[in-house]
Amino acid sequence: MIENIYFKIGQPNTGKSYSFRKENLEKEYFNDKEIEYLKIPVSGGIGNEYKGLQNTDLAISYDPIKENLKFGEFLQMLMKAILNPNINYIVFLDDFHNQDISSLLSEYTPLFKAGQKVDLKNKIKLNEELKEELKEELLNKEDFNIEKWNEFIDSLKVIQESITNRVSGESLKLVFPSNFYLLGCANFNEKTINIFADWSDRAKIEYVNPIKIMEELKDENDFIKCTKKLNKDLQEILENKNIYDYEKYCFGIWKVKDITELEEQKEIIKFFFFMIKNSLIYNNKNSEINEIG
């Protein structure tokens, strides 16, 4: 079974996002089980931080037009997972290297501890009538009764945490249900080279190995052989310099096997060298750029 919180970090073109597509998750992990799936692209990045996703987008904010509270899509999925324990709810944060993941998910850091995960299938039967009322309210999204929701969470008698409604100061109580999954993909950059301890303690973090991805490509033409040789040569150069975390430097070649046009191949090779240069900068190896190049 897949981990409830699972992040994949690696170089571009290593198939990270592909593995977290809905159809692939269904096939590999959930079989015929019912799932609800939400993909949230994490935009932003250097110079564009305030145009990108904010932590309030994932939690509670205020809608000045409708003059009411707005529950972020992430929060809605979590609340639905609590109310519907027989359905698996999956949130996929794509390209979270564009934001600081600790800041982005700061509202939920206290909640997502492994020891607080709970299966609600039996516990939720204690308050079936209130649950149905809340499901209807959440569906309508108008005048949601936070006090009634908190009463329901209290009735579950499990470990709970709260997020704060910054408009009124009223807290919304939450639990971490075992049918809620938070997945994320990111490229290596200055925000993900050393992911903060609070999330490394809560998530399975896989650093995707581009050499392994490369070796799994069975269909070989001259271009594939060329890119494989470049990657293997780079690995050897790095090891000669006592650099062994080469998954941060070597490039992924997923999706390039069908490229046959010479000009496209030239552009791809340029892109690979651009990635290598950037990875050396992100890992504070600026002084090695010219020699390795």
Side-chain angles (χ1 to χ4, degrees), residues 34-64:
E34 187 176 356
I35 71 170
E36 274 204 34
Y37 179 87
L38 173 66
K39 177 181 175 180
I40 302 177
V42 182
S43 57
I46 297 171
N48 196 27
E49 289 88 346
Y50 299 106
K51 293 179 183 177
L53 195 68
Q54 303 295 304
N55 59 359
T56 49
D57 296 326
L58 302 182
I60 301 174
S61 58
Y62 181 72
D63 188 334

Side-chain angles (χ1 to χ4, degrees), residues 68 224-225 274 277 286:
N68 62 9
I224 294 295
K225 290 176 182 175
F274 172 76
K277 178 182 175 183
N286 305 51

